Amino acid sequence: MPTTNGDVAVLAEDLRRSFGAVEAVRSVDLAVRAGEIYGFLGPNGAGKSTCVRMLCTLLAPSGGRAAVGGFDVVRDVEAVRLRIGVALQDAALDAKLTGRELLGVQGRLYGMSRKQIAARIESFGDLVDVAALDRRIGTYSGGMRRRLDLAAALMHDPRILFLDEPTTGLDPVSRMRVWEEVRRMNREDGMTIFLTTQYLEEADALADRVGIIDGGRIVAEGTPDELKRRIGVDVIVARVEGDPAAAATVVESLDGIASVAVHGDELDIATADGAAAVGRVAVALAAAGLHASQLTLRRPTLDDVFLEVTGERLS
Amino acid sequence: MTAASAPPTARSAGFLADLSTLAGRAIRLMLRDLEGVIPAMIVPVFFFAVNVGSLQDQFERAAPGFDYKAFQIPVAVIFAVTGVSRASNLVIDIQQGYFDRLTIAPIRRVSLLLGLMIADLVLVMALTVPVLLMGFIAGVGFASGPLGVLAFIVLAGCWGLAFTGFPYAIALRTGSPAAVNSSFILFFPFAFLTTTFAPKEALTGWLGAVATYNPVTYLLEGLRSLVSSGWDAAALGRAALAVLAVGAVSQLLAHAVLRGRLTSGRR
Ligand SMILES: Nc1ncnc2c1ncn2[C@@H]1O[C@H](COP(=O)(O)OP(=O)(O)OP(=O)(O)O)[C@@H](O)[C@H]1O
Ligand SMILES: [Mg+2]
């Protein structure tokens, strides 16, 4: 029996997992709504994969509980497994089979008929290289493997998809293909997608909501915009010819400037409204005889958010 | 009802369908990797040639009418089939993560091992055939007739299957290819502390005592009865019991280790 409201696709309450003395996941609470793309962002060793493995019934939690598709991941393993598709961090493939054979095994284990399997493989045209499907997987490039692994996860048309770092190691073209596929499945099929990543731009580009995990705990959560708004300011980056310290003094005296930081010959100028301030900064510097060779306006990024909540830069 | 709580499009295919899918894959990989079977072919031929060559005259002179070749054919078959398993493929599956993918499929836990074992049984029975042919060429006849040949193959196959639990347990416990490869050593006490070279009456002292408790003694007795003396229900019954006993121990062990691995979620 479903244990939670059907609107919540993935639920974790005080979810914990230790390996001996290592507390990989300390206490994770999260709720992913049906139809949402949830981005789980964190550095190496943060506990992302451990969370995913617990949510997809591969790893027993040491404490707390989790439900996927409304079913408890420990007590209703069968029901959870029928509803999820999983692409783990390391592609889980058999090098000796061909791509088509592997997808065939996958389809049959999920009760699909021969015809359904053939049609499904056909529909993967954009994702996998059809020409390579009859070659042994051992001969595939890393990118082809990842995309085949994703296809295997999608074979049975799951309602909820777990992707553990789906684009790590992919070239930009392959990454775009995966991003497009993720967006399409979410938009057209209403698939709920739980995705981990170490790439800020990936979380920013794909996720409706982002949870930042560090040291086994969620340290911040919200939409990418909400998170960036937490920083609250725009950043003007000015490169000056002349004494940067003098330039900083000039800029600090202007109205509406929150702070100025000097990095070499660059000033990072924080301000509530960058667009309004950038002209005044240029004029003031010119008047002081300190020419700004370059002035750029930067919105806060998830990297800035990450820096604020963890005290470290991610990228 | 929302997307997440809607019934899934996937369904479980059913136990038998899962077994046939998994066994089909295992057999396909086996056919793709036939050179892996070659040692299992050479070892029995080697043992047969050496044992017959060195001991035939001695035994046949001591007991006129005793057919030492017929006596040795079951030994060759046991050397061909024991320890043949997909356990090293299982280690590879674990290492390449494919085992995880199979684990989260909606299948029963036992299917993960049974699928492989069905492939083992097919291979083991197939391995019996060339060894028997070698015997026929060497002039060994079957006292129990063609049906006896079939019974012989089935009994040998069941023994091969019974023994596979040990390498699978080692594979699941260690995840190490080296450990699985050396699991053959386990077979040595079974194989040599018994009537491999000489009939039971000729074994004396501690070897005779150990052989009495070695299930392979009764397996060999059953197989030999089919070759040399026709249908002997008592001998076949003891052989079947010996296979069942070893099979129960090894399979329970393998499934216990599998359960342990899956519940601890070891990688
Ligand atoms: N099976 C295991 N045994 C022991 N320690 C483990 C095991 N799995 C994970 N850990 C430890 O738990 C912590 C979290 O690991 P996890 O793989 O969840 O991190 P991650 O966020 O996925 O990192 P990455 O970005 O590198 O994949 C790490 O310190 C890791 O060493
Ligand atoms: Mg990881």
Side-chain angles (χ1 to χ4, degrees):
Chain A
M1 273 286 101
T3 54
T4 58
N5 177 346
D7 267 324
V8 179
V10 181
L11 179 78
E13 286 173 352
D14 188 25
L15 190 62
R16 278 170 283 130
R17 173 73 205 207
S18 313
F19 298 99
V22 180
E23 289 181 81
V25 174
R26 284 159 197 268
S27 175
V28 162
D29 290 270
L30 55 82
V32 179
R33 283 188 302 277
E36 195 172 35
I37 302 183
Y38 187 87
F40 214 33
L41 177 68
N44 289 137
K48 304 182 294 295
S49 298
T50 305
C51 267
V52 167
R53 292 177 77 87
M54 286 192 282
L55 292 173
C56 66
T57 74
L58 268 177
L59 188 66
S62 331
R65 62 174 217 108
V68 172
F71 292 92
D72 188 281
V73 297
V74 175
R75 274 175 299 139
D76 285 315
V77 173
E78 278 282 306
V80 172
R81 288 181 177 173
L82 277 175
R83 285 163 176 81
I84 61 173
V86 183
L88 294 170
Q89 182 161 3
D90 302 307
L93 301 172
D94 179 357
K96 289 230 175 84
L97 293 176
T98 69
R100 193 181 302 281
E101 287 168 346
L102 182 115
L103 295 176
V105 169
Q106 191 71 9
R108 282 196 293 282
L109 292 180
Y110 286 83
M112 296 168 71
S113 70
R114 208 180 274 272
K115 245 170 100 181
Q116 288 172 316
I117 290 172
R120 192 80 181 131
I121 293 179
E122 196 72 20
S123 77
F124 287 143
D126 288 341
L127 184 64
V128 299
D129 306 275
V130 178
L133 274 180
D134 293 305
R135 253 168 48 203
R136 298 234 184 127
I137 294 166
T139 68
Y140 286 19
S141 74
M144 288 159 75
R145 268 176 227 225
R146 287 239 65 138
R147 283 182 279 115
L148 182 71
D149 195 51
L150 178 54
L154 294 173
M155 197 65 199
H156 55 287
D157 195 17
R159 303 309 315 139
I160 302 168
L161 181 65
F162 290 92
L163 301 176
D164 195 358
E165 301 195 20
T167 66
T168 300
L170 293 192
D171 66 24
V173 175
S174 292
R175 174 172 298 177
M176 285 319 290
R177 274 161 89 173
V178 170
W179 283 13
E180 269 154 34
E181 190 59 23
V182 166
R183 286 204 191 93
R184 192 196 60 70
M185 292 180 303
N186 176 251
R187 197 179 51 235
E188 291 175 16
D189 310 336
M191 194 182 282
T192 306
I193 296 169
F194 187 104
L195 147 149
T196 82
T197 181
Q198 342 183 359
Y199 300 124
L200 297 149
E201 68 276 17
E202 183 159 287
D204 210 352
L206 291 179
D208 298 315
R209 243 157 17 101
V210 173
I212 297 180
I213 179 169
D214 190 38
R217 261 188 255 273
I218 295 188
V219 290
E221 195 184 48
T223 67
D225 280 340
E226 278 167 11
L227 288 173
K228 287 182 237 171
R229 238 179 283 133
R230 280 174 57 147
I231 303 289
V233 292
D234 291 344
V235 180
I236 300 169
V237 183
R239 175 165 296 156
V240 290
E241 291 163 1
D243 181 9
T249 316
V250 171
V251 174
E252 268 164 2
S253 67
L254 296 174
D255 282 343
I257 301 296
S259 70
V260 181
V262 181
H263 301 289
D265 62 349
E266 271 186 8
L267 306 184
D268 280 2
I269 304 158
T271 171
D273 186 353
V278 68
R280 285 188 289 119
V281 168
V283 170
L285 286 173
L290 295 157
H291 177 63
S293 62
Q294 210 181 320
L295 268 179
T296 45
L297 175 60
R298 192 159 69 70
R299 298 270 163 198
T301 61
L302 280 180
D303 201 14
D304 298 315
V305 179
F306 197 84
L307 175 64
E308 168 156 309
V309 294
T310 69
E312 288 164 73
R313 285 228 173 261
L314 188 53
S315 44
Chain B
M1 201 176 255
T2 61
S5 60
T9 45
R11 58 190 183 86
S12 120
F15 185 54
L16 292 181
D18 290 342
L19 280 187
S20 108
T21 302
L22 294 171
R25 162 185 174 251
I27 290 171
R28 179 177 279 157
L29 292 185
M30 192 163 80
L31 295 175
R32 235 162 241 186
D33 193 23
L34 272 183
E35 58 287 6
V37 178
I38 291 172
M41 295 297 342
I42 293 176
V43 169
V45 174
F46 177 82
F47 267 88
F48 185 74
V50 169
N51 289 351
V52 169
S54 57
L55 299 170
Q56 180 174 21
D57 287 351
Q58 196 182 325
F59 277 104
E60 291 186 357
R61 220 175 306 121
F66 180 60
D67 181 352
Y68 195 68
K69 280 184 193 151
F71 184 79
Q72 277 300 322
I73 275 294
V75 173
V77 165
I78 286 185
F79 272 90
V81 303
T82 311
V84 171
S85 76
R86 314 284 90 218
S88 46
N89 297 60
L90 179 59
V91 169
I92 296 171
D93 281 350
I94 291 170
Q95 287 176 337
Q96 63 187 355
Y98 190 58
F99 191 69
D100 284 339
R101 183 165 283 302
L102 294 178
T103 305
I104 43 180
I107 59 178
R108 284 216 236 150
R109 186 166 57 205
V110 289
S111 313
L112 290 169
L113 279 183
L114 278 187
L116 296 172
M117 287 177 182
I118 290 171
D120 290 334
L121 185 62
V122 170
L123 174 61
V124 152
M125 300 225 279
L127 282 172
T128 312
V129 173
V131 178
L132 281 179
L133 282 179
M134 175 182 76
F136 294 148
I137 292 168
V140 174
F142 255 69
S144 54
L147 261 183
V149 176
L150 195 66
F152 186 98
I153 294 176
V154 170
L155 189 54
C158 289
W159 163 254
L161 188 62
F163 198 82
T164 56
F166 297 122
Y168 283 119
I170 292 172
L172 289 164
R173 181 78 223 172
T174 64
S176 146
V180 170
N181 287 339
S182 46
S183 70
F184 189 70
I185 304 273
L186 268 183
F187 176 50
F188 277 27
F190 285 105
F192 293 110
L193 304 182
T194 181
T195 55
T196 308
F197 304 111
K200 186 88 187 351
E201 311 81 68
L203 303 182
T204 50
W206 66 271
L207 187 54
V210 173
T212 308
Y213 294 100
N214 185 345
V216 172
T217 304
Y218 303 98
L219 174 66
L220 282 173
E221 186 195 340
L223 292 172
R224 280 171 180 152
S225 74
L226 288 168
V227 180
S228 311
S229 52
W231 295 94
D232 176 345
L236 289 177
R238 281 193 294 272
L241 272 181
V243 170
L244 275 178
V246 172
V249 171
S250 94
Q251 298 298 331
L252 285 177
L253 181 67
H255 284 91
V257 176
L258 173 66
R259 193 173 332 114
R261 169 174 278 274
L262 294 185
T263 47
S264 75
R266 216 154 357 110
R267 263 191 252 189

